Every structure is written in C-alpha cells, then in structure tokens.
Amino acid sequence: MENIRIELTSAPKAKPNIDPLPFGKYFSDHMFLMNYEEGKGWFDPRIVPYGPFSLDPSCMVFHYAQEIFEGLKAYRRADGSIWLFRPADNFRRMNDSARRMCIPEVDVDFCVEALKKLVAIERDWVPTQEAASLYIRPFIIATDCTVGVHASKTYIFCIILSPSGNYYPEGLDPVKIAIEDEDVRAVRGGTGFTKCGGNYAASIRAGERAAGRGYSQVLWLDGVHRKYIEEVGSMNIMFKIDGTVVTPVLQGSVLPGITRRSILEVCRDWGLSVEERLISVDEVIETAENGHMEEMWGTGTAAVVSPVGQIEYEGKSLKIGGGGIGELTQKLYDELTGIQWGTRPDTRGWTVKVCD
Ligand SMILES: *Cc1c(COP(=O)(O)O)cnc(C)c1O
C-alpha cells in the first residue's frame, strides 16, 4: 500500500467543553479515507479535514445498504499516553463482515497503522475526563452509481473519531432489558455475525417498543424457534448460573464481540467454569425465579461490561440477583477497564500504544 497522504485542516474546531461528554455526538478535525476500484484495489490512503461526502443519489449504499462498520476506542492513560485495545481484531472482524457482504477486504496491518497515525494527529481530541475515551468508527460504503442489485465495483473506506463520555454517565448502573418475542434480529445464514448497517435498522422498532415500557435494551431470541437467547442490541450477553459463566454459543446469528472474547479469556484464566452453549429463555426465566441465576451482564466496546438488574418476558418482570451489580460483574468491569486504562497489567498483549 502507498504512503498515507496527509492534508491538515486550516480551521481546527473548538473542543466540546461539556462534562460529561455525550456519546458519539462530536467529531474530531480529521478523518482517514481511501478508495477502491475493481482491478485497482484500495488506493489513495489519506488523512484529510473532517467533512461531508458528495455522493450521487443513485449511489448503491443508499438503496441496498452494502455497508459495514466497526467500533473501538482510544484511551488516554494517567501519564498522558494514548492506547488502543485489540485494534487488529476489529479489522479482522471487518474482513469477516466484508466477505459476507461482497465488499473487498482491507489489509489489517495497514489499517492498524493508518488508525494509529490518525489518532496520533488527533491526540488532543482524546478526552482527559474520567472514563471518557475517543470512540473510533471505521466503515466502508458501496459507491457505484447504478440502481441495480449487484456488488458495487467502487467503495470508500473511512475512519471518523468521536470524543465520548462514559456510555453510562452515572457509571456502572444496572440496566432493565426486555426479551423480544416478535421481531427477530438475525438468522443463521443471514448477516447477524457482521456489523452491517441493515442489522441495526431492523432492530430499531423493538428497541422503541421496549423503551416505551421503560426498558433500555432488547434481548433477542433466535429467529427460528424464538426460544434461545442471542444477544442485546449492541452487546453480547452473559449469565452466572450456579457459579458457572454461561453465554450463547456463536453460530452465525450472534455478533462475535471482542469484549465477549476478552471477558471469556479472563474468566477462564481466573479458573471459572465457562460454557458457550444454547440457553433457552425458559432456562433464564426459571433460574431467575428460583435464585440459581446469580448475575447477568452485557459486554461490548461502548459500555465494556453492563450489569442487568431486571428482565421482562411476556409481560412478566423479574429482578436478577436482587437488581444490583453482581460481584463478578463488577470484578470483570474493573479488570477489563483496568487493562484498557493501564492501571492493571496487560499480560496478554491486548493494548497497543499510539503515542506518549
Ligand atoms: C458491536 C456489537 C457487539 C459487541 O462487540 P464488541 O467487539 O465487544 O464491541 C455485540 N453485539 C452487537 C450486535 C454488536 O453490534
């Protein structure tokens, strides 16, 4: 790949002076871009001033949603240095999404280097506020100008950066989630394992209905039997049942979270018993009722670990573990955020330094 061309802005924006920062509302001064053409590959990698795209209305992404994205964060440590968490895993997963959506793959190592360069240029945009970070959004869109269903021959790859506060401004706070038994998010053979925009568009209706009843998230069931637990809106889900950590097995409809993988690795290293298997909603309700369900939490880049205090299913509402933050949930949150912010040792080589 060619060298990255750099064009700096002559009109830097004022940094948002808000505490706590909202999530994903402000964007930094620059973005990374490269283009793709069939026969030519990815070309013209560049860091340029942040700004709008000009796209023809017939552009394929507008009509058939040939689009994928990723989400990760840059963290500022107490000594001022800036770090990423497992960034290569995000670009590897982006390539998994790309293959499913007939989008050309990217070079993982090149993308990590490009991201490091972009974040280093935007270092002053990495927040210093407690628990705030720079949210990173890489994405690829199909740009052929033709209204016909086929794989586009041209694409834009872009990375934008958003200084963002803690996902939950009140800190670690148990969420209430509603188990959805009507809409489904994904099926095996579909696109559930990818981060493609269409998955999220299709999930909004159930989310709005749940919000109307006072629930902040939706817990999805499998699309065939509407029986097995899959995941939450943008988080994987885990349970502690009789001392064992249980999470849905990955079979193509669940998004393989990097936080999920990291948490499972930490649990196994701590000597906990871990099971990746099918979990029926009946098992969840039964163990929540008889007290065998000790803890329940979501995992994802945005919130890292999010305790679940209450669930709703078929009009019935149930508290989990008394409705508070479980002991293991708290311990896992402390461990993972500790590794990310460098207050706990990174013995697995998960963190990548951007700059001092
Ligand atoms: C991004 C995402 C997750 C979490 O993945 P991480 O890599 O841990 O951030 C889980 N489920 C869905 C549907 C997602 O989009």
Side-chain angles (χ1 to χ4, degrees):
M1 181 68 83
E2 318 143 59
N3 282 337
I4 298 171
R5 178 161 68 80
I6 296 175
E7 179 195 332
L8 297 180
T9 181
S10 54
K13 296 180 271 198
K15 311 273 185 306
N17 185 17
I18 304 169
D19 194 359
L21 274 167
F23 191 89
K25 282 224 160 72
Y26 296 96
F27 295 93
S28 74
D29 283 324
H30 300 89
M31 59 185 179
F32 174 82
L33 285 178
M34 59 183 176
N35 294 76
Y36 180 92
E37 272 175 36
E38 196 177 67
K40 192 168 174 184
W42 290 106
F43 65 95
D44 197 14
R46 56 206 187 271
I47 292 170
V48 294
Y50 183 96
F53 295 144
S54 175
L55 295 171
D56 193 276
S58 68
C59 188
M60 282 194 60
V61 66
F62 296 142
H63 304 275
Y64 308 117
Q66 205 190 1
E67 185 268 357
I68 53 175
F69 66 94
E70 270 302 325
L72 67 161
K73 287 171 171 175
Y75 308 82
R76 185 186 294 283
R77 296 189 175 175
D79 65 359
S81 62
I82 296 168
W83 297 70
L84 301 169
F85 184 73
R86 310 189 77 171
D89 288 29
N90 286 92
F91 292 111
R92 275 194 278 271
R93 183 171 65 192
M94 190 170 216
N95 281 341
D96 295 338
S97 298
R99 281 191 295 276
R100 178 64 182 82
M101 304 299 285
C102 294
I103 289 172
E105 293 180 42
V106 293
D107 183 308
V108 170
D109 294 335
F110 178 80
C111 286
V112 171
E113 285 316 304
L115 175 60
K116 284 164 73 174
K117 205 162 251 178
L118 176 66
V119 172
I121 287 172
E122 301 291 65
R123 56 196 301 153
D124 291 345
W125 285 90
V126 184
T128 51
Q129 289 174 18
E130 172 84 18
S133 53
L134 188 69
Y135 185 74
I136 299 162
R137 169 53 56 88
F139 62 101
I140 301 176
I141 56 171
T143 52
D144 274 11
C145 296
T146 155
V147 181
V149 181
H150 61 80
S152 181
K153 293 174 168 52
T154 61
Y155 298 85
I156 293 174
F157 173 105
C158 180
I159 306 177
I160 54 175
L161 308 174
S162 173
S164 294
N166 200 343
Y167 200 70
Y168 296 108
E170 271 81 59
L172 208 56
D173 203 17
V175 292
K176 292 163 64 176
I177 61 177
I179 301 176
E180 173 65 33
D181 54 13
E182 193 180 326
D183 289 0
V184 297
R185 194 192 87 94
V187 290
R188 280 168 79 176
T191 57
F193 68 93
T194 73
K195 270 182 153 19
C196 71
N199 287 348
Y200 303 83
S203 76
I204 291 171
R205 182 171 76 168
E208 288 193 345
R209 284 196 298 236
R213 300 194 305 276
Y215 291 83
S216 62
Q217 308 258 1
V218 168
L219 181 58
W220 299 102
L221 298 177
D222 79 276
V224 176
H225 311 283
R226 304 230 167 108
K227 176 178 173 187
Y228 297 103
I229 301 289
E230 297 231 300
E231 62 180 317
V232 188
S234 57
M235 292 192 292
N236 295 108
I237 192 78
M238 297 187 183
F239 309 91
K240 182 162 164 263
I241 304 173
D242 284 330
T244 295
V245 174
V246 185
T247 195
V249 62
L250 303 177
Q251 291 184 319
S253 51
V254 169
L255 197 288
I258 293 160
T259 320
R260 174 189 183 276
R261 191 186 314 150
S262 307
I263 291 281
L264 294 183
E265 208 170 320
V266 168
C267 286
R268 288 188 173 112
D269 287 352
W270 285 351
L272 292 164
S273 129
V274 173
E275 292 177 359
E276 295 176 68
R277 61 168 169 85
L278 292 176
I279 309 156
S280 70
V281 62
D282 297 335
E283 177 182 354
V284 169
I285 299 301
E286 201 178 300
T287 54
E289 279 178 337
N290 67 19
H292 289 273
M293 170 85 69
E294 294 153 350
E295 300 183 31
M296 180 172 172
W297 66 90
T299 68
T301 295
V304 188
V305 171
S306 181
V308 176
Q310 195 174 322
I311 55 171
E312 182 210 49
Y313 183 57
E314 293 179 336
K316 198 157 76 176
S317 181
L318 285 168
K319 280 216 156 51
I320 305 292
I325 302 170
E327 197 185 317
L328 179 61
T329 306
Q330 180 76 54
K331 228 178 120 187
L332 287 168
Y333 177 83
D334 293 343
E335 177 70 11
L336 214 60
T337 54
I339 294 169
Q340 290 167 339
W341 262 277
T343 57
R344 296 205 178 178
D346 171 18
T347 56
R348 303 174 189 87
W350 284 346
T351 57
V352 173
K353 192 178 199 173
V354 173
C355 56
D356 279 311

Tab-separated table of all heavy atoms in Angstrom, residues 69 71 90 93 185 195 200 231-236 255-260 299-302, ligand 1:
chain	number	residue	atom	x	y	z
A	69	PHE	N	-19.376	-1.688	9.247
A	69	PHE	CA	-18.666	-0.751	10.122
A	69	PHE	C	-18.006	-1.504	11.267
A	69	PHE	O	-18.183	-2.714	11.435
A	69	PHE	CB	-19.620	0.335	10.644
A	69	PHE	CG	-20.700	-0.161	11.573
A	69	PHE	CD1	-20.516	-0.122	12.949
A	69	PHE	CD2	-21.894	-0.659	11.075
A	69	PHE	CE1	-21.500	-0.578	13.806
A	69	PHE	CE2	-22.894	-1.113	11.936
A	69	PHE	CZ	-22.701	-1.069	13.307
A	71	GLY	N	-16.325	-0.637	15.563
A	71	GLY	CA	-16.337	0.294	16.681
A	71	GLY	C	-15.271	-0.093	17.688
A	71	GLY	O	-15.212	-1.246	18.121
A	90	ASN	N	-10.506	-5.826	15.425
A	90	ASN	CA	-11.607	-5.106	14.778
A	90	ASN	C	-11.494	-5.165	13.258
A	90	ASN	O	-12.489	-5.379	12.560
A	90	ASN	CB	-11.636	-3.640	15.227
A	90	ASN	CG	-12.149	-3.517	16.650
A	90	ASN	OD1	-11.368	-3.519	17.592
A	90	ASN	ND2	-13.459	-3.446	16.807
A	93	ARG	N	-12.317	-8.612	12.043
A	93	ARG	CA	-13.774	-8.817	12.029
A	93	ARG	C	-14.408	-8.031	10.882
A	93	ARG	O	-15.380	-8.479	10.272
A	93	ARG	CB	-14.378	-8.397	13.372
A	93	ARG	CG	-15.871	-8.656	13.434
A	93	ARG	CD	-16.429	-8.440	14.813
A	93	ARG	NE	-16.330	-7.045	15.224
A	93	ARG	CZ	-16.539	-6.608	16.471
A	93	ARG	NH1	-16.843	-7.483	17.424
A	93	ARG	NH2	-16.448	-5.344	16.775
A	185	ARG	N	-33.706	-10.374	15.112
A	185	ARG	CA	-32.581	-9.585	14.632
A	185	ARG	C	-31.848	-10.291	13.501
A	185	ARG	O	-31.381	-9.664	12.549
A	185	ARG	CB	-31.599	-9.333	15.791
A	185	ARG	CG	-30.552	-8.262	15.543
A	185	ARG	CD	-29.459	-8.291	16.591
A	185	ARG	NE	-28.408	-9.221	16.229
A	185	ARG	CZ	-27.299	-8.882	15.587
A	185	ARG	NH1	-27.084	-7.634	15.259
A	185	ARG	NH2	-26.401	-9.799	15.271
A	195	LYS	N	-21.130	-6.676	11.315
A	195	LYS	CA	-21.578	-5.337	11.688
A	195	LYS	C	-21.957	-4.645	10.380
A	195	LYS	O	-21.145	-3.939	9.784
A	195	LYS	CB	-20.460	-4.590	12.427
A	195	LYS	CG	-20.485	-4.802	13.952
A	195	LYS	CD	-19.385	-3.993	14.579
A	195	LYS	CE	-19.571	-3.545	16.008
A	195	LYS	NZ	-20.500	-4.142	16.899
A	200	TYR	N	-29.001	-3.097	12.181
A	200	TYR	CA	-29.363	-2.153	13.237
A	200	TYR	C	-30.648	-1.417	12.870
A	200	TYR	O	-31.492	-1.155	13.736
A	200	TYR	CB	-28.171	-1.225	13.520
A	200	TYR	CG	-26.977	-2.088	13.884
A	200	TYR	CD1	-26.185	-2.670	12.899
A	200	TYR	CD2	-26.748	-2.456	15.205
A	200	TYR	CE1	-25.175	-3.560	13.202
A	200	TYR	CE2	-25.726	-3.332	15.526
A	200	TYR	CZ	-24.938	-3.882	14.520
A	200	TYR	OH	-23.956	-4.777	14.825
A	231	GLU	N	-28.481	-12.160	21.915
A	231	GLU	CA	-27.659	-11.067	22.443
A	231	GLU	C	-28.526	-9.830	22.607
A	231	GLU	O	-29.706	-9.822	22.279
A	231	GLU	CB	-26.484	-10.777	21.508
A	231	GLU	CG	-26.928	-10.334	20.127
A	231	GLU	CD	-25.758	-10.054	19.198
A	231	GLU	OE1	-24.786	-9.426	19.646
A	231	GLU	OE2	-25.835	-10.455	18.034
A	232	VAL	N	-27.918	-8.755	23.114
A	232	VAL	CA	-28.613	-7.484	23.312
A	232	VAL	C	-28.307	-6.601	22.094
A	232	VAL	O	-27.506	-6.977	21.236
A	232	VAL	CB	-28.144	-6.832	24.635
A	232	VAL	CG1	-28.976	-5.606	24.979
A	232	VAL	CG2	-28.249	-7.834	25.774
A	233	GLY	N	-28.892	-5.425	22.008
A	233	GLY	CA	-28.757	-4.534	20.849
A	233	GLY	C	-27.341	-4.395	20.327
A	233	GLY	O	-27.073	-4.655	19.154
A	234	SER	N	-26.412	-3.977	21.154
A	234	SER	CA	-25.028	-3.857	20.701
A	234	SER	C	-24.078	-4.468	21.730
A	234	SER	O	-22.943	-4.046	21.881
A	234	SER	CB	-24.673	-2.390	20.450
A	234	SER	OG	-24.906	-1.660	21.626
A	235	MET	N	-24.601	-5.469	22.426
A	235	MET	CA	-23.773	-6.164	23.424
A	235	MET	C	-24.054	-7.656	23.367
A	235	MET	O	-25.178	-8.077	23.094
A	235	MET	CB	-24.130	-5.687	24.844
A	235	MET	CG	-23.747	-4.255	25.151
A	235	MET	SD	-23.899	-3.924	26.918
A	235	MET	CE	-25.669	-4.022	27.149
A	236	ASN	N	-23.043	-8.446	23.671
A	236	ASN	CA	-23.257	-9.868	23.919
A	236	ASN	C	-23.759	-10.019	25.346
A	236	ASN	O	-23.635	-9.116	26.156
A	236	ASN	CB	-21.956	-10.644	23.708
A	236	ASN	CG	-21.504	-10.576	22.254
A	236	ASN	OD1	-20.537	-9.905	21.930
A	236	ASN	ND2	-22.200	-11.267	21.380
A	255	LEU	N	-23.240	-11.643	17.008
A	255	LEU	CA	-22.030	-10.880	16.692
A	255	LEU	C	-20.879	-11.343	17.600
A	255	LEU	O	-21.024	-11.319	18.827
A	255	LEU	CB	-22.331	-9.387	16.923
A	255	LEU	CG	-21.450	-8.283	16.349
A	255	LEU	CD1	-20.110	-8.183	17.045
A	255	LEU	CD2	-21.286	-8.390	14.858
A	256	PRO	N	-19.757	-11.761	17.028
A	256	PRO	CA	-18.633	-12.210	17.873
A	256	PRO	C	-17.904	-11.017	18.496
A	256	PRO	O	-16.968	-10.489	17.912
A	256	PRO	CB	-17.721	-12.969	16.916
A	256	PRO	CG	-18.372	-12.906	15.575
A	256	PRO	CD	-19.449	-11.878	15.601
A	257	GLY	N	-18.340	-10.614	19.653
A	257	GLY	CA	-17.786	-9.431	20.311
A	257	GLY	C	-16.347	-9.637	20.759
A	257	GLY	O	-15.970	-10.718	21.232
A	258	ILE	N	-15.549	-8.589	20.614
A	258	ILE	CA	-14.163	-8.640	21.080
A	258	ILE	C	-14.152	-8.525	22.612
A	258	ILE	O	-13.330	-9.153	23.277
A	258	ILE	CB	-13.338	-7.542	20.386
A	258	ILE	CG1	-13.251	-7.882	18.888
A	258	ILE	CG2	-11.942	-7.415	21.001
A	258	ILE	CD1	-12.897	-6.736	17.990
A	259	THR	N	-15.097	-7.772	23.156
A	259	THR	CA	-15.223	-7.714	24.620
A	259	THR	C	-15.650	-9.084	25.146
A	259	THR	O	-15.135	-9.552	26.163
A	259	THR	CB	-16.262	-6.649	25.032
A	259	THR	OG1	-16.108	-5.509	24.191
A	259	THR	CG2	-16.095	-6.249	26.480
A	260	ARG	N	-16.590	-9.737	24.462
A	260	ARG	CA	-17.030	-11.089	24.831
A	260	ARG	C	-15.841	-12.031	24.916
A	260	ARG	O	-15.638	-12.709	25.921
A	260	ARG	CB	-18.040	-11.599	23.784
A	260	ARG	CG	-18.483	-13.042	23.963
A	260	ARG	CD	-19.299	-13.482	22.733
A	260	ARG	NE	-19.827	-14.840	22.869
A	260	ARG	CZ	-19.123	-15.929	22.567
A	260	ARG	NH1	-17.874	-15.834	22.141
A	260	ARG	NH2	-19.673	-17.130	22.719
A	299	THR	N	-21.782	-7.363	27.370
A	299	THR	CA	-20.397	-6.976	27.079
A	299	THR	C	-20.323	-6.322	25.707
A	299	THR	O	-20.908	-6.824	24.754
A	299	THR	CB	-19.444	-8.193	27.084
A	299	THR	OG1	-19.760	-9.040	25.969
A	299	THR	CG2	-19.548	-8.987	28.374
A	300	GLY	N	-19.625	-5.197	25.611
A	300	GLY	CA	-19.449	-4.519	24.328
A	300	GLY	C	-18.491	-3.356	24.496
A	300	GLY	O	-18.303	-2.866	25.609
A	301	THR	N	-17.914	-2.914	23.396
A	301	THR	CA	-16.919	-1.844	23.443
A	301	THR	C	-17.441	-0.591	24.134
A	301	THR	O	-16.740	0.013	24.946
A	301	THR	CB	-16.460	-1.500	22.007
A	301	THR	OG1	-15.792	-2.641	21.485
A	301	THR	CG2	-15.543	-0.296	21.983
A	302	ALA	N	-18.669	-0.191	23.811
A	302	ALA	CA	-19.176	1.093	24.310
A	302	ALA	C	-19.266	1.103	25.832
A	302	ALA	O	-18.722	1.982	26.492
A	302	ALA	CB	-20.521	1.407	23.682
B	1	LIG	C1	-20.523	-4.446	18.305
B	1	LIG	C2	-21.545	-5.409	18.818
B	1	LIG	C3	-21.318	-6.219	19.948
B	1	LIG	C4	-20.080	-6.081	20.806
B	1	LIG	O1	-18.884	-6.279	20.135
B	1	LIG	P1	-17.536	-5.680	20.762
B	1	LIG	O2	-16.490	-6.094	19.813
B	1	LIG	O3	-17.382	-6.295	22.107
B	1	LIG	O4	-17.735	-4.212	20.843
B	1	LIG	C5	-22.277	-7.145	20.290
B	1	LIG	N1	-23.429	-7.268	19.593
B	1	LIG	C6	-23.694	-6.493	18.528
B	1	LIG	C7	-24.975	-6.693	17.800
B	1	LIG	C8	-22.772	-5.533	18.118
B	1	LIG	O5	-23.047	-4.742	17.083
